[in-house]
């Protein structure tokens, strides 16, 4: 028997986790090494004994059969999505995270053991998982450099197990953190303040045709309607780029020309004062600084909170990299390389962007010079008043490892240089990582704290919208251990706008739109954005509820997707009908597989908000009040009771789940929050018991406040001033109004006498 602290290969060839069989017919060359130190009692590393060496190897481990699993895999070069199944053959290539549900040794289905498999990095090699036709789980090990062939092979996959899937995942990632010491868990990272404010991105509004005037127009348009952006991302279109004379253009619908290369650190003429094509402006004051100064100056005259301005750039400068020999950039020693994608990526969805870069080559800055490149770029941006950057196209580095010691070492060198430059030039850790869903990056990121969670919001692709919500939720199960996932922009005027907005409200993520100027739904935005431009951001990365982890809410025709999160004093659950579309393994693209998906039913319980006891306080017995945002209804749920939910196709509901507090006088009380907002409970910033006959809480923002009270209150006071209120005897809902506060982020003090 090979034992690894709760993970063991038994004499009969089974891999057991806490007594539950997970794999059978485990190969004789599989190694199990206990995870040492840090209290890692229920984890071990899987490896292999192998006499062979090579830059790419595949090792069968054991058979997975008749056990439910969920995994996240890269369906294209840049992005992951989810897959559910019950046998090894269902596990796709490029799987980077796998969780399996098994019964413990008693066979009691109510007492499941959750086993997490994390393929990791070892030296110059990266491991991923995949399945074969014999239902074997396989480890694929790859360096990305034909010259790098030797590996140790003892620590390729971390395996952790336990009874709470979310705890198991967190503990497993932290165990890998201690082992590798090359990345940091999300909880240790500094979150940029822009996450707490409403924002606008220029991409869908203008694509690469964005101009300085367009930026001003977009900000003013939203501000006029009362949805004040406090951060803006100037996306692709501001840089100085062009094609090589012999290059082959590749311009997809509403996208960049992927054959372009960066030839100057500074902005193009569209962002220069009185700029004109072909003219190079040498005075920095007339460059990007002039538009940044203008929009920030106008903002700061009206608001006390600053306007955060980000700009976009690729991790290699631009899609086609940096042009070799460009004036003023010779020091960076850029050379044209032709990226080669891994066989696993080649089996999944093709990509026009990658194909263009592979055909035209990429001007790769010498890895030994890349910190200087980033520092020059970022110091120029910072001097112009830019606060941060969105760094895109990060996974391209995995295809450029040849001649650089392999993909892992190249990615790590670039990530270290990038994070060092961010720390020097943008002191609030203002970076969004994008197109970065490979473990080369994730296991090499010490500081970066925000990561795009999925493929883009595609406004004109009807198949993509339900897929997007399911993907961000399931990807967050893994990504949320490393960074705060960003669920991407959306449009406030769109057939699926409310659906997307509701998801952002429970995601714990940044909330920003990419509306064209003048094309906004301010009634919708007011459910997300307070008058001061702040948002009611939940505390955690939003993830599927425990009972949804192994269901397939996009394909099985029956399951609702429920996403849970926590506020300071409540939980929030978003329920979504995502049925009808998914990524097709055969077609290798998003497809609608059911044009008329049916109405589906499910249930919401207090325990769906997994960590609700953490905010409930001492003495809570499990009873909750549930407020349904769409229906406007209040329900009392005793511990473990269920509230039925029925959703038509592409329909959603958001539930605020509030622990019920019982007062000494026998009355029961639960502060719901601002009931006009999707995440009502996010407005409640403090709760105290008050005296024997009353309660007191703080609420942020403006609008209608909802409170559950089992008895009609004698009075309601806001900041010590008694006011009017309404009480529904049938539901116990108390409602009253709070006005727009004079100060940003102000919390009203509400006193209720029962």
């Amino acid at each position: 028997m090979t034992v690894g602290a709760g993970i063991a290969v038994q004499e009969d060839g089974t891999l057991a986790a806490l007594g539950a069989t997970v794999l059978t017919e485990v190969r004789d060359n599989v190694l199990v090494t206990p995870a040492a130190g840090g209290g890692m009692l229920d984890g071990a590393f899987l490896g292999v004994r192998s006499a062979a060496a090579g830059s790419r190897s595949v090792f069968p481990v054991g058979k997975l059969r008749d056990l439910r699993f969920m995994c996240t895999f890269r369906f294209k070069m840049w992005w992951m999505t989810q897959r559910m199944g019950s046998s090894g053959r269902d596990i796709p290539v490029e799987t980077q995270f796998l969780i399996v549900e098994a019964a413990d040794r008693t066979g009691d289905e109510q007492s499941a053991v959750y086993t997490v498999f994390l393929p990791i990095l070892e030296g110059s090699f990266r491991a991923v998982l995949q399945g074969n036709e014999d239902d074997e789980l396989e480890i694929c090990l790859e360096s990305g450099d034909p010259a790098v062939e030797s590996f140790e092979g003892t620590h390729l996959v971390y395996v952790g197990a336990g009874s709470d899937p979310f705890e198991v995942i967190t503990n497993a990632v932290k165990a890998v953190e201690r082992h590798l010491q090359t990345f940091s868990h999300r909880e240790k990272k500094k979150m940029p303040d822009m996450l707490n404010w409403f924002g606008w991105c220029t991409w869908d509004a203008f694509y690469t045709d964005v101009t300085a005037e367009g930026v001003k127009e977009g900000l003013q348009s939203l501000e006029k309607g009362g949805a004040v952006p406090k951060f803006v991302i100037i996306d692709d279109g501001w840089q100085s780029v062009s094609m090589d004379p012999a290059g082959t253009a590749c311009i997809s619908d509403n996208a960049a020309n992927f054959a372009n290369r960066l030839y100057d650190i500074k902005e193009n003429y569209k962002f220069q004062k009185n700029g004109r094509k072909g003219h190079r402006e040498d005075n920095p004051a007339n460059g990007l600084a002039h538009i940044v100064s203008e929009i920030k100056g106008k903002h700061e005259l009206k608001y006390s909170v600053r306007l955060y301005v980000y700009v976009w750039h690729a991790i290699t400068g631009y899609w086609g990299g940096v042009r070799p020999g460009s004036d003023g950039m010779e020091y960076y020693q850029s050379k044209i390389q032709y990226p080669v994608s891994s066989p696993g990526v080649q089996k999944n969805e093709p990509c026009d962007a990658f194909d263009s870069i592979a055909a035209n080559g990429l001007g790769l800055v010498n890895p030994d010079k890349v910190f200087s490149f980033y520092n020059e770029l970022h110091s120029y941006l910072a001097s112009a008043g830019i606060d941060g950057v969105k760094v895109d196209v990060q996974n391209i580095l995995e295809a450029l490892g040849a001649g650089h010691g392999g993909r892992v070492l190249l990615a790590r060198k670039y990530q270290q240089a990038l994070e060092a430059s961010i720390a020097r030039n943008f002191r609030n850790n203002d970076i969004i990582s994008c197109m970065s869903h490979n473990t080369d990056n994730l296991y090499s990121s010490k500081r970066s704290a925000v990561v795009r969670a999925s493929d883009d919001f595609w406004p004109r692709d009807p198949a993509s919208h339900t897929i997007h919500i399911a993907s961000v939720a399931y990807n967050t199960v893994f990504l949320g251990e490393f960074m705060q996932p960003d669920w991407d922009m959306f449009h406030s005027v769109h057939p699926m706008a409310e659906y997307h907005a509701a998801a952002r409200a429970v995601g714990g993520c940044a909330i920003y739109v990419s509306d064209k100027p003048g094309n906004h739904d301010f009634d919708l935005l007011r459910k997300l954005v307070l008058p001061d431009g702040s948002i009611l951001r939940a505390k955690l990365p939003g993830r599927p509820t425990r009972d949804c982890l192994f269901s397939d809410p996009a394909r099985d025709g029956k399951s609702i997707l429920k996403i849970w999160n926590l506020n300071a004093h409540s939980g929030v659950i978003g329920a979504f009908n995502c049925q009808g579309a998914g990524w097709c393994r055969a077609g290798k693209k998003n497809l609608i597989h059911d044009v008329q998906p049916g109405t589906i039913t499910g249930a919401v319980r207090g325990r769906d908000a997994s960590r609700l006891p953490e905010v409930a306080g001492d003495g809570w017995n499990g009873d909750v009040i549930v407020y349904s945002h769409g229906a406007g209804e209040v329900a009392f749920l005793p511990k473990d009771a269920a509230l039925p939910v029925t959703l038509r196709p592409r329909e959603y509901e958001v539930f605020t789940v509030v622990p019920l507090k019982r007062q000494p006088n026998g009355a029961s009380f639960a502060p719901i929050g601002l009931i006009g907002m999707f995440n009502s409970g996010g407005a409640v910033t403090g709760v105290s018991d008050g005296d024997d006959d009353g309660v007191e809480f703080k609420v942020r923002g403006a609008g209608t406040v909802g409170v559950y009270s089992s008895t009609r209150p004698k009075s309601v006071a806001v900041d010590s001033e008694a006011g009017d209120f309404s009480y529904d005897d049938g539901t116990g809902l108390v409602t009253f109004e709070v006005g727009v506060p004079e100060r940003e982020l102000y919390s009203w003090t509400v006193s209720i006498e029962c």
Side-chain angles (χ1 to χ4, degrees), residues 266-281:
K266 296 180 181 179
E267 68 291 318
N268 61 43
Y269 74 96
K270 297 182 296 176
F271 285 84
Q272 295 170 351
K273 189 174 184 179
N274 302 318
R276 59 186 187 276
K277 196 169 186 178
H279 172 72
R280 184 165 178 167
E281 175 59 62

Side-chain angles (χ1 to χ4, degrees), residues 71 76 130 132 184 205 215 240 264 299 314 497 507 554 603 605 644 663 729:
C71 69
K76 62 169 68 170
Q130 59 192 40
N132 65 29
S184 296
V215 173
S240 296
D264 196 291
H299 181 89
R605 296 172 175 84
Q663 299 302 111
D729 291 298

Side-chain angles (χ1 to χ4, degrees), residues 10-29:
Q10 310 283 355
E11 293 179 358
D12 63 358
T14 61
L15 178 71
L18 302 182
T21 297
V22 182
L23 302 178
T24 61
E25 300 182 45
V26 173
R27 296 293 185 105
D28 291 339
N29 67 329

